[in-house]
Amino acid sequence: MNPKELLELVARLRLQHNDDENVEAKKCETKLSNDIWESVSAFGNTSGGLILLGLDQGKGFTVPPKFDIDKSIDQFVSGMQPKNGKLTNPPQYDIARVDFEGSQVLVVRIDEVDLTQKPCFITSRGVENGSYKRVADKDIKLSATEIFALQNALVPSPADKEIVPDASVDDLSKETIEKIIENGKISHPKALRGAETLRAQMARLNITDQNGKVRLGGLLAAGNYPQRKNCSLIRMRAQMR
């Protein structure tokens, strides 16, 4: 970020009199505030964002007279260390000194954490009390349900392979199945190698089993109207995903 871009950004913050979902300003006059790690966690668990160190929101987003940018850099970099830092699963970041109204502001760009590493949380508080998300200008603690969803987002659910007793291939959209197979040929070519018939291809992609019976995952992905078929089973299993 260059000085002009920072001026434009701060002008927006001054106009709205607040931070927002993409930017958090921290005074940090003599040392980093403890809540900075909440913001890092929040941005890391959401969509990334900018933290501006050395801007006092209470005084119109101006630089405090005693702001020590070198100390802020040392404390921030130390806190972001993978080992013995403030966070577990810390995000990638970059920092820059940017000239601003006769002083310098430390601009920290926080990247979103990869889904395989979420949630990013404050180590000393533990995952349940130290995981945050960004909502508007606030860092909101993740609920237990949200933490569970992040931790299990890439864990295959065995429920998807269960057979839906009263469903048949007639309940599936031919167009959707064709798209799934075409995508499968591109992204997972080995999975469809040797599967020449439509029935074999559907079984390989777990839309059906080897006997042509429809699996729950297949019905949810390609069903014309999956709610009509075994609604209680679908609801129950879908909640387990």
Side-chain angles (χ1 to χ4, degrees):
M1 176 175 288
N2 59 48
K4 181 181 178 181
E5 291 172 331
L6 181 57
L7 281 171
E8 293 174 350
L9 176 58
V10 175
R12 176 168 64 81
L13 298 180
R14 286 170 173 169
L15 183 63
Q16 64 195 27
H17 304 291
N18 214 342
D19 309 304
D20 55 34
E21 67 274 14
N22 300 311
V23 183
E24 175 72 21
K26 299 289 188 184
K27 180 179 178 181
C28 301
E29 187 166 13
T30 57
K31 67 176 182 179
L32 294 186
S33 56
N34 289 329
D35 62 356
I36 190 174
W37 307 115
E38 296 176 5
S39 296
V40 175
S41 169
F43 282 134
N45 288 328
T46 312
S47 302
L50 290 175
I51 299 178
L52 308 180
L53 301 182
L55 279 183
D56 188 346
Q57 179 179 342
K59 293 187 177 181
F61 295 98
T62 56
V63 180
K66 296 182 180 179
F67 176 57
D68 188 334
I69 193 169
D70 293 318
K71 183 179 290 185
S72 290
I73 292 173
D74 291 342
Q75 292 177 348
F76 187 83
V77 171
S78 177
M80 292 293 287
Q81 294 298 313
K83 293 183 178 180
N84 302 318
K86 298 290 186 179
L87 300 165
T88 297
N89 303 325
Q92 296 293 313
Y93 71 96
D94 60 70
I95 58 178
R97 300 167 180 259
V98 182
D99 294 335
F100 178 75
E101 297 182 347
S103 300
Q104 283 191 326
V105 170
L106 186 62
V107 178
V108 183
R109 185 178 302 277
I110 302 295
D111 293 339
E112 181 178 359
V113 175
D114 188 89
L115 185 57
T116 59
Q117 298 296 314
K118 289 183 179 179
C120 164
F121 62 92
I122 300 171
T123 304
S124 62
R125 301 182 192 177
V127 64
E128 293 185 358
N129 293 310
S131 301
Y132 291 81
K133 63 180 178 180
R134 190 71 175 181
V135 179
D137 64 324
K138 295 177 172 57
D139 303 322
I140 306 296
K141 191 178 295 185
L142 289 175
S143 67
T145 301
E146 289 171 322
I147 292 171
F148 178 84
L150 287 175
Q151 291 175 327
N152 292 274
L154 298 180
V155 178
S157 171
D160 287 347
K161 293 187 178 182
E162 291 198 17
I163 301 301
V164 182
D166 58 347
S168 71
V169 292
D170 293 332
D171 297 308
L172 305 178
S173 165
K174 293 181 180 180
E175 292 78 9
T176 302
I177 291 174
E178 289 175 358
K179 291 180 180 178
I180 292 174
I181 291 173
E182 286 304 312
N183 289 335
K185 289 178 179 179
I186 296 173
S187 57
H188 303 289
K190 291 183 179 180
L192 291 172
R193 186 175 298 167
E196 302 296 335
T197 67
L198 176 61
R199 177 169 176 167
Q201 291 170 342
M202 291 171 63
R204 289 282 184 89
L205 295 173
N206 286 316
I207 297 172
T208 63
D209 69 0
Q210 295 295 332
N211 297 317
K213 295 181 179 179
V214 177
R215 297 187 187 276
L216 175 60
L219 185 61
L220 291 173
N224 288 312
Y225 186 46
Q227 291 86 350
R228 288 181 178 174
K229 295 294 179 180
N230 211 331
C231 291
S232 60
L233 175 63
I234 292 173
R235 283 197 299 269
M236 179 182 69
R237 296 309 187 192
Q239 290 171 356
M240 294 174 59
R241 292 171 65 115

